[in-house]
Structure formats: structure tokens, C-alpha cells
Amino acid sequence: MAIEFRCIRCGQKLRVKDVDAGNLARCPKCKAVVDIPPKYAPDQPVAMAREKSDVIDFELFGQEAQYVEITLDPGEVTFARMENLFYAAPGIAMEDAVETRGGNRESGGVFQRISQVARLTREGGDSLRMTGFCNVAERREVVAFVPRSSRQLVPLLMEEFDEQLICRGDAILCLARGIEIRDRDLTVISQELSLRELRGDGIAVLQVGGQPHHRRLGERDVLQVATRHIVAFTSEIRVSRCDSSGVEAPVEVTMLSGPGEIWLGSGSLDD
């Protein structure tokens, strides 16, 4: 009995003998090395032998009004919100990717044919809708994203932070395919922080209200921050609530304790 499956890179249908189940195969179209599924699963994309994020090239443009241009190799995917799209080459296919509460992905035909979409894992709450932008051409293609006005861009390479980063959900501009997004519930500490945990080894481009401020906190360093200005921090940072009830106009203040790195914005993402 033969096993049929599709290449995660280009969507090419492959057919191998069932004795090869669990081994590796090379796609004859795009030359990618893929895992052969252990059992018959028609039209089911399979993971690459090494589950790494797409290594995408990017370039930032502008000073005050910035945008980012992503260059995708054939089969590569980046994820962003559709409202942040600036422009895209004709070889870029677009399709929504949604993860629901049970972890069941809802996606249409393009990404069923081309990839497993992003691992946008949500462990509770509402689903997070992002759009996948995939290069279905046989040459390199570009797609660009622009943040809302008065926001600056901060590209972060996840490998530099042990492949784990905590950020506000609305700070995410675009991600490489392969980065997971998970809920990070800190509502007990703050009602203003709607956080996501990013996991993976690819590039994540965040948007910051106003001017970005990056700081490294030492083992004994503590910083009190108006919550609305928090953008992201590394997983080692400890978060706690500050009592600001004694002031006439209460402002929610969060205490960030090191060691670790933090990213703040002089403006608020809510503005």
C-alpha cells in the first residue's frame, strides 16, 4: 500500500511505499527534505525533518513613518494582520489562519496545500486571527507591512532570547512561520496587559508606541513602569503589581524585576 502526502514547502503531492513510513523523502519539485508520515494520511502536510522557523530576509524603511519589507524564498511564509499589509508582489498568496480554543486550526485551501500554517497555539480565550503570506512563485518575492501611525518597529531575533519572548498581543506586526503564539495570562496582576508568549527561532517584528526604549535589568534591578507603556520582555523577567491607589488619578503601574531584558514605548499602543 502506498502513502500519499504533500510537501510542506511547495504542496507537491508525494507517493512512496508504505515500508518507507517514518523515514525521510526529498521533494522532486522543490528539493526539500520532509518526513514521511507513519500512516496513510491523504493531503496531510507533514513537518520538515528539522522543525525550524523560516529564515526570512527583511529591511526596515523610514525614520518617523516606518515600514518593513519581507523577502520570501519560494514556499516561505510570514504571518501578520491583514490590516497591516502595505504591498505584496503577485507571487504572494494570502489566507487567514485561525487557532481556536481546542487547538484546531481553521484554514482554507492555500495553506492546506502549502504548509501547516503557523503554530498559533492558544491555550484559552478568543481565537487570534492572523493572515499567512506565502510565496507560491518560483522566484523570491516581497511583501511589506506598515504599523499604525506614530508606531516604531523593533525586529527581534528569537534565538538571542532563548527562543522565548513575552509581548503584548497588539505589538505583533509580523512573524516568521514556525513561531508559536500562546496566551500568557497575567490578568491577576494587570487588567491592561493582554500578553502573548512567542516561542521559536525566527524573526519577530514588533510595533512600539512612540519611541522604543530597550533596557537590560540585572539580578537585583527593579523598574516600576506605567503598564500601558510595556511592549515586551524576556521570560526571566518577574512581573508584579504596584499599588498606585494612593494617588488622586490612579494609573496602573507594573513592577518588572530582573534579570532579563525589557522593551517599552514612550507612547501607548492603545493611542
Side-chain angles (χ1 to χ4, degrees):
M1 182 177 180
I3 299 175
E4 292 185 352
F5 60 100
R6 291 186 181 273
C7 174
I8 192 174
R9 281 287 184 180
C10 66
Q12 173 72 27
K13 181 177 283 189
L14 305 180
R15 184 182 177 91
V16 299
K17 296 180 180 179
D18 56 1
V19 294
D20 294 323
N23 294 324
L24 301 177
R26 184 176 295 277
C27 175
K29 183 177 180 180
C30 69
K31 309 304 180 185
V33 177
V34 298
D35 289 321
I36 300 173
K39 59 182 179 180
Y40 180 70
D43 293 341
Q44 176 64 44
V46 296
M48 298 288 290
R50 296 183 61 206
E51 291 194 20
K52 293 290 185 179
S53 301
D54 286 346
V55 181
I56 58 177
D57 298 324
F58 70 94
E59 185 175 357
L60 297 184
F61 293 89
Q63 297 295 326
E64 296 297 325
Q66 290 187 305
Y67 68 94
V68 60
E69 184 181 86
I70 305 292
T71 302
L72 299 174
D73 290 333
E76 287 187 335
V77 182
T78 187
F79 286 84
R81 293 180 179 85
M82 193 65 191
E83 59 262 32
N84 293 122
L85 175 65
F86 186 14
Y87 57 81
I92 301 295
M94 311 173 195
E95 188 160 336
D96 284 342
V98 182
E99 290 293 343
T100 57
R101 288 191 178 189
N104 299 316
R105 183 170 58 253
E106 298 174 358
S107 176
V110 172
F111 291 98
Q112 288 175 354
R113 294 193 302 270
I114 296 173
S115 73
Q116 288 180 312
V117 197
R119 297 188 295 261
L120 305 180
T121 306
R122 297 294 302 276
E123 297 178 336
D126 298 328
S127 62
L128 174 64
R129 179 174 292 275
M130 298 188 79
T131 298
F133 299 83
C134 179
N135 182 5
V136 296
E138 296 183 355
R139 61 184 182 278
R140 304 186 86 199
E141 295 279 37
V142 298
V143 57
F145 305 103
V146 60
R148 288 172 51 186
S149 60
S150 74
R151 295 185 179 184
Q152 298 291 300
L153 300 182
V154 178
L156 299 175
L157 190 60
M158 296 290 292
E159 295 99 298
E160 297 178 358
F161 312 106
D162 294 326
E163 301 184 4
Q164 189 174 7
L165 195 69
I166 314 300
C167 70
R168 286 181 50 155
D170 54 0
I172 301 172
L173 182 72
C174 59
L175 303 170
R177 174 178 57 183
I179 296 179
E180 300 179 11
I181 304 178
R182 301 182 179 181
D183 272 340
R184 186 71 172 225
D185 188 7
L186 288 179
T187 53
V188 175
I189 298 173
S190 168
Q191 296 299 320
E192 294 185 10
L193 278 180
S194 177
L195 296 176
R196 302 291 180 265
E197 179 182 1
L198 305 183
R199 288 191 178 185
D201 64 339
I203 189 74
V205 180
L206 304 184
Q207 49 187 338
V208 175
Q211 291 298 315
H213 174 75
H214 172 227
R215 178 178 293 203
R216 291 182 175 87
L217 299 181
E219 183 73 36
R220 300 182 179 179
D221 290 340
V222 177
L223 194 66
Q224 298 181 87
V225 181
T227 303
R228 65 178 180 272
H229 293 288
I230 295 175
V231 176
F233 49 88
T234 54
S235 58
E236 316 96 298
I237 291 290
R238 301 185 302 279
V239 182
S240 57
R241 176 184 291 180
C242 294
D243 184 9
S244 58
S245 59
V247 300
E248 184 176 346
V251 173
E252 186 172 278
V253 179
T254 299
M255 184 177 295
L256 303 177
S257 304
E261 300 182 49
I262 63 174
W263 289 263
L264 311 175
S266 62
S268 171
L269 286 171
D270 298 323
D271 296 339

Short mmCIF file of all heavy atoms in Angstrom, two decimals, residues 202-223:
data_model
loop_
_atom_site.label_atom_id
_atom_site.label_comp_id
_atom_site.label_asym_id
_atom_site.label_seq_id
_atom_site.Cartn_x
_atom_site.Cartn_y
_atom_site.Cartn_z
N GLY A 202 12.75 32.11 14.90
CA GLY A 202 12.73 33.00 13.75
C GLY A 202 12.72 34.47 14.14
O GLY A 202 12.99 34.85 15.28
N ILE A 203 12.39 35.31 13.15
CA ILE A 203 12.35 36.75 13.38
C ILE A 203 10.94 37.17 13.73
O ILE A 203 9.95 36.68 13.16
CB ILE A 203 12.85 37.52 12.12
CG1 ILE A 203 13.03 39.00 12.42
CG2 ILE A 203 11.90 37.32 10.95
CD1 ILE A 203 14.24 39.30 13.25
N ALA A 204 10.82 38.06 14.71
CA ALA A 204 9.54 38.66 15.08
C ALA A 204 9.71 40.17 15.00
O ALA A 204 10.64 40.72 15.58
CB ALA A 204 9.13 38.23 16.49
N VAL A 205 8.81 40.83 14.29
CA VAL A 205 8.86 42.29 14.19
C VAL A 205 7.72 42.85 15.04
O VAL A 205 6.55 42.57 14.79
CB VAL A 205 8.74 42.78 12.74
CG1 VAL A 205 8.80 44.30 12.68
CG2 VAL A 205 9.84 42.17 11.87
N LEU A 206 8.08 43.63 16.06
CA LEU A 206 7.10 44.22 16.96
C LEU A 206 6.92 45.70 16.63
O LEU A 206 7.82 46.34 16.10
CB LEU A 206 7.54 44.06 18.41
CG LEU A 206 7.83 42.64 18.91
CD1 LEU A 206 8.15 42.65 20.40
CD2 LEU A 206 6.66 41.70 18.62
N GLN A 207 5.74 46.23 16.98
CA GLN A 207 5.49 47.66 16.82
C GLN A 207 5.36 48.30 18.20
O GLN A 207 4.76 47.73 19.12
CB GLN A 207 4.25 47.91 15.97
CG GLN A 207 3.03 47.12 16.38
CD GLN A 207 1.89 47.28 15.40
OE1 GLN A 207 1.82 48.26 14.66
NE2 GLN A 207 0.97 46.34 15.39
N VAL A 208 5.95 49.48 18.34
CA VAL A 208 6.05 50.16 19.63
C VAL A 208 5.41 51.53 19.51
O VAL A 208 5.63 52.25 18.53
CB VAL A 208 7.53 50.32 20.04
CG1 VAL A 208 7.67 51.12 21.31
CG2 VAL A 208 8.19 48.95 20.18
N GLY A 209 4.60 51.90 20.49
CA GLY A 209 4.02 53.24 20.51
C GLY A 209 5.07 54.27 20.88
O GLY A 209 5.78 54.12 21.87
N GLY A 210 5.20 55.33 20.09
CA GLY A 210 6.20 56.35 20.36
C GLY A 210 7.61 55.85 20.10
O GLY A 210 7.85 55.05 19.21
N GLN A 211 8.57 56.31 20.91
CA GLN A 211 9.96 55.90 20.76
C GLN A 211 10.24 54.64 21.59
O GLN A 211 9.85 54.56 22.75
CB GLN A 211 10.90 57.03 21.22
CG GLN A 211 10.88 58.25 20.31
CD GLN A 211 11.34 57.91 18.90
OE1 GLN A 211 12.33 57.21 18.71
NE2 GLN A 211 10.61 58.42 17.91
N PRO A 212 10.91 53.66 21.00
CA PRO A 212 11.22 52.44 21.75
C PRO A 212 12.32 52.66 22.78
O PRO A 212 13.24 53.45 22.57
CB PRO A 212 11.67 51.46 20.66
CG PRO A 212 12.14 52.32 19.53
CD PRO A 212 11.33 53.58 19.60
N HIS A 213 12.21 51.96 23.89
CA HIS A 213 13.21 52.02 24.95
C HIS A 213 13.55 50.58 25.34
O HIS A 213 12.69 49.82 25.79
CB HIS A 213 12.68 52.78 26.16
CG HIS A 213 13.62 52.76 27.34
ND1 HIS A 213 14.77 53.52 27.38
CD2 HIS A 213 13.59 52.04 28.50
CE1 HIS A 213 15.40 53.30 28.52
NE2 HIS A 213 14.71 52.40 29.22
N HIS A 214 14.81 50.19 25.16
CA HIS A 214 15.28 48.85 25.47
C HIS A 214 16.20 48.93 26.68
O HIS A 214 17.09 49.77 26.74
CB HIS A 214 16.02 48.24 24.28
CG HIS A 214 16.69 46.93 24.58
ND1 HIS A 214 17.98 46.64 24.22
CD2 HIS A 214 16.23 45.83 25.24
CE1 HIS A 214 18.30 45.42 24.61
NE2 HIS A 214 17.25 44.91 25.23
N ARG A 215 15.98 48.05 27.66
CA ARG A 215 16.81 48.08 28.87
C ARG A 215 17.08 46.66 29.36
O ARG A 215 16.20 45.81 29.32
CB ARG A 215 16.11 48.88 29.97
CG ARG A 215 16.89 48.91 31.28
CD ARG A 215 16.19 49.76 32.33
NE ARG A 215 16.17 51.18 31.96
CZ ARG A 215 16.04 52.16 32.84
NH1 ARG A 215 15.94 51.90 34.14
NH2 ARG A 215 16.02 53.41 32.45
N ARG A 216 18.32 46.44 29.80
CA ARG A 216 18.68 45.18 30.44
C ARG A 216 18.65 45.37 31.95
O ARG A 216 19.28 46.29 32.47
CB ARG A 216 20.07 44.72 30.00
CG ARG A 216 20.14 44.28 28.55
CD ARG A 216 21.55 43.79 28.19
NE ARG A 216 21.60 43.26 26.85
CZ ARG A 216 21.83 43.99 25.77
NH1 ARG A 216 22.02 45.30 25.89
NH2 ARG A 216 21.87 43.44 24.57
N LEU A 217 17.93 44.51 32.63
CA LEU A 217 17.85 44.57 34.09
C LEU A 217 18.74 43.49 34.69
O LEU A 217 18.71 42.34 34.24
CB LEU A 217 16.41 44.36 34.55
CG LEU A 217 15.37 45.39 34.08
CD1 LEU A 217 14.00 45.05 34.66
CD2 LEU A 217 15.78 46.79 34.47
N GLY A 218 19.53 43.88 35.69
CA GLY A 218 20.37 42.92 36.39
C GLY A 218 19.59 42.11 37.40
O GLY A 218 18.37 42.29 37.59
N GLU A 219 20.29 41.24 38.10
CA GLU A 219 19.66 40.32 39.06
C GLU A 219 18.86 41.07 40.11
O GLU A 219 17.79 40.62 40.52
CB GLU A 219 20.74 39.47 39.73
CG GLU A 219 20.20 38.43 40.69
CD GLU A 219 19.53 37.27 39.98
OE1 GLU A 219 20.01 36.88 38.91
OE2 GLU A 219 18.52 36.77 40.52
N ARG A 220 19.34 42.21 40.55
CA ARG A 220 18.67 42.96 41.62
C ARG A 220 17.96 44.21 41.12
O ARG A 220 17.45 45.00 41.92
CB ARG A 220 19.68 43.34 42.70
CG ARG A 220 20.35 42.14 43.35
CD ARG A 220 21.31 42.58 44.45
NE ARG A 220 21.94 41.43 45.10
CZ ARG A 220 22.82 41.52 46.09
NH1 ARG A 220 23.18 42.73 46.53
NH2 ARG A 220 23.35 40.43 46.62
N ASP A 221 17.90 44.39 39.82
CA ASP A 221 17.28 45.59 39.27
C ASP A 221 15.76 45.45 39.23
O ASP A 221 15.21 44.39 38.89
CB ASP A 221 17.79 45.86 37.85
CG ASP A 221 19.25 46.30 37.83
OD1 ASP A 221 19.73 46.74 38.88
OD2 ASP A 221 19.88 46.17 36.77
N VAL A 222 15.09 46.54 39.58
CA VAL A 222 13.63 46.60 39.54
C VAL A 222 13.23 47.92 38.89
O VAL A 222 13.85 48.95 39.14
CB VAL A 222 13.02 46.51 40.96
CG1 VAL A 222 11.50 46.64 40.89
CG2 VAL A 222 13.42 45.20 41.62
N LEU A 223 12.19 47.88 38.06
CA LEU A 223 11.71 49.10 37.42
C LEU A 223 10.20 49.14 37.51
O LEU A 223 9.51 48.16 37.21
CB LEU A 223 12.15 49.12 35.94
CG LEU A 223 12.02 50.46 35.22
CD1 LEU A 223 12.99 51.49 35.81
CD2 LEU A 223 12.29 50.29 33.73
#
